[in-house]
Amino acid sequence: MNNKIGIQYGYWARERNVDFLAYVSRAAKLGLEVLGFGVGTLLTYLTVDQRNAFKTAVLDAGLELNLQTGCRIDCDITSGNEEIRRKGIEHLKQHIQAAHDLGGKVLGGMIHSVWCGPKPEKERRYYLDNSVKSMKEVVKFAEDLGMFLNVEVVNRFENFLLTTAQQGLEYVKMVGSPNLKVELDTFHMNIEEDHIGQAILTVGENLGSLHVCENNRKLPGKGHIPWNEVADAIRQINYRGYIAIESFVTADCPYGREYFIWRDLEDNDLDAAVKESLKFLRATFEV
Ligand SMILES: [Mn+2]
């Protein structure tokens, strides 16, 4: 296997705005190869000069960036309101450009609709068609920059449009671009799929990104996700993308509230716990 293992900075962060450079050296020191951030966060809290310094620090540390973004209610590519839909397309193009400028190669997350948005008023198909029509335009912009997009499939409590691997695959096929793939996440698959390994096999060569964490958002190795089944499946499909830890473990802070963390999920030193989880992942995935 030949996958790079990373982590989303929210594992450590108590709020969105942090000393971003400190996380770069911290991740590299622990032996991680990829670091995840929201593009919007970096655009909001860093100046252009600071973003350039951040990009240099990431390169110098030998890390790669795994960037995420999403639509918002006021810029939503599933909307039947043409003004809002157009704003969504421009928002995504801006974030693709920013991800590219930061040195990232991939942009994933809720790029197909709104994370934790309001419940839909119409049938799913209506929003799906709007989203696919918009994504066809968005992905052309990504193709021209050589960027790869990944649509994340999440559980029913966080989104209605893509909740299963099968739906993620259908979406990607409807858009029909080699630069658009599916992002699967063990936390969400644990809720929605009949069989996690089979879900990964269903997506097959269209899997562009894999988020790993336990059923309760703890670090891999501490819960009941069937890791050998996950590893067997990604081996079978010859998956070469990132294995990105997306654990959130700290309650009583703004970041924890955003991700519905209502109790502390890690008793040990956070860095020591990551080291242990990394060891577990390397052994399980043989990377
Ligand atoms: Mn995820």
Side-chain angles (χ1 to χ4, degrees), residues 68 152-154 183-185 187-188 211-212 217 246 248:
Q68 304 275 124
E152 184 166 17
V153 175
V154 304
E183 184 163 74
L184 291 178
D185 182 316
F187 174 79
H188 302 299
H211 289 170
V212 292
R217 282 281 184 207
E246 206 182 43
F248 304 111

Side-chain angles (χ1 to χ4, degrees), residues 1-95:
M1 301 288 289
N2 191 22
N3 311 89
K4 292 190 169 168
I5 302 184
I7 198 164
Q8 217 276 0
Y9 90 112
Y11 168 70
W12 292 292
R14 297 180 63 87
E15 56 184 313
R16 282 188 180 225
N17 189 11
V18 296
D19 178 1
F20 294 97
L21 285 178
Y23 287 79
V24 174
S25 46
R26 191 172 189 175
K29 220 171 96 184
L30 290 169
L32 293 153
E33 300 159 293
V34 182
L35 194 49
F37 292 93
V39 173
T41 302
L42 297 175
L43 284 177
T44 302
Y45 298 114
L46 298 178
T47 63
V48 175
D49 285 348
Q50 287 172 328
R51 289 204 290 278
N52 286 333
F54 175 76
K55 177 182 176 177
T56 304
V58 169
L59 278 173
D60 288 350
L63 292 175
E64 292 180 20
L65 282 181
N66 190 15
L67 297 166
Q68 304 275 124
T69 190
C71 292
R72 299 189 311 258
I73 297 169
D74 63 334
C75 54
D76 174 11
I77 64 168
T78 72
S79 177
N81 176 316
E82 195 55 15
E83 198 184 322
I84 293 174
R85 195 179 73 84
R86 296 282 352 151
K87 268 177 79 177
I89 291 170
E90 292 314 311
H91 165 77
L92 290 176
K93 285 182 180 175
Q94 191 199 352
H95 279 200

Side-chain angles (χ1 to χ4, degrees), residues 51-279:
R51 289 204 290 278
N52 286 333
F54 175 76
K55 177 182 176 177
T56 304
V58 169
L59 278 173
D60 288 350
L63 292 175
E64 292 180 20
L65 282 181
N66 190 15
L67 297 166
Q68 304 275 124
T69 190
C71 292
R72 299 189 311 258
I73 297 169
D74 63 334
C75 54
D76 174 11
I77 64 168
T78 72
S79 177
N81 176 316
E82 195 55 15
E83 198 184 322
I84 293 174
R85 195 179 73 84
R86 296 282 352 151
K87 268 177 79 177
I89 291 170
E90 292 314 311
H91 165 77
L92 290 176
K93 285 182 180 175
Q94 191 199 352
H95 279 200
I96 292 166
Q97 183 68 57
H100 181 258
D101 293 346
L102 282 158
K105 301 265 186 296
V106 295
L107 184 61
M110 303 298 302
I111 56 175
H112 50 82
S113 55
V114 179
W115 183 57
C116 293
K119 282 183 186 173
E121 292 171 349
K122 298 185 173 75
E123 286 179 16
R124 175 178 171 268
R125 183 77 205 194
Y126 170 83
Y127 302 97
L128 180 65
D129 287 346
N130 285 337
S131 183
V132 166
K133 182 171 77 172
S134 310
M135 188 57 73
K136 282 183 177 175
E137 190 176 332
V138 170
V139 82
K140 276 204 187 82
F141 186 81
E143 285 172 9
D144 290 344
L145 287 174
M147 290 288 293
F148 288 85
L149 307 182
N150 297 306
V151 285
E152 184 166 17
V153 175
V154 304
N155 75 75
R156 67 188 68 187
F157 303 110
E158 301 182 36
N159 184 252
F160 69 92
L161 195 62
L162 304 181
T163 54
T164 66
Q166 180 65 37
Q167 289 178 336
L169 179 67
E170 282 163 10
Y171 183 95
V172 161
K173 287 194 167 168
M174 284 170 82
V175 176
S177 162
N179 290 49
L180 182 73
K181 295 193 171 190
V182 177
E183 184 163 74
L184 291 178
D185 182 316
T186 53
F187 174 79
H188 302 299
M189 285 193 281
N190 178 61
I191 295 172
E192 298 295 342
E193 305 291 349
D194 298 337
H195 188 277
I196 293 178
Q198 188 54 52
I200 293 169
L201 294 179
T202 296
V203 172
E205 62 182 13
N206 286 288
L207 185 66
S209 172
L210 180 68
H211 289 170
V212 292
C213 70
E214 285 294 354
N215 51 288
N216 50 11
R217 282 281 184 207
K218 286 187 183 183
L219 286 169
K222 301 200 168 199
H224 68 231
I225 292 293
W227 292 109
N228 288 331
E229 183 182 307
V230 174
D232 280 350
I234 76 157
R235 203 171 290 123
Q236 276 190 61
I237 64 170
N238 199 24
Y239 172 70
R240 294 294 172 92
Y242 299 148
I243 295 174
I245 298 172
E246 206 182 43
S247 293
F248 304 111
V249 296
T250 308
D252 295 323
C253 63
Y255 216 114
R257 289 182 195 108
E258 261 193 70
Y259 285 90
F260 316 105
I261 306 304
W262 311 127
R263 61 190 165 96
D264 286 334
L265 296 169
E266 183 56 65
D267 299 329
N268 304 306
D269 171 78
L270 291 188
D271 285 359
V274 167
K275 260 191 175 171
E276 198 184 321
S277 184
L278 198 52
K279 216 164 111 185

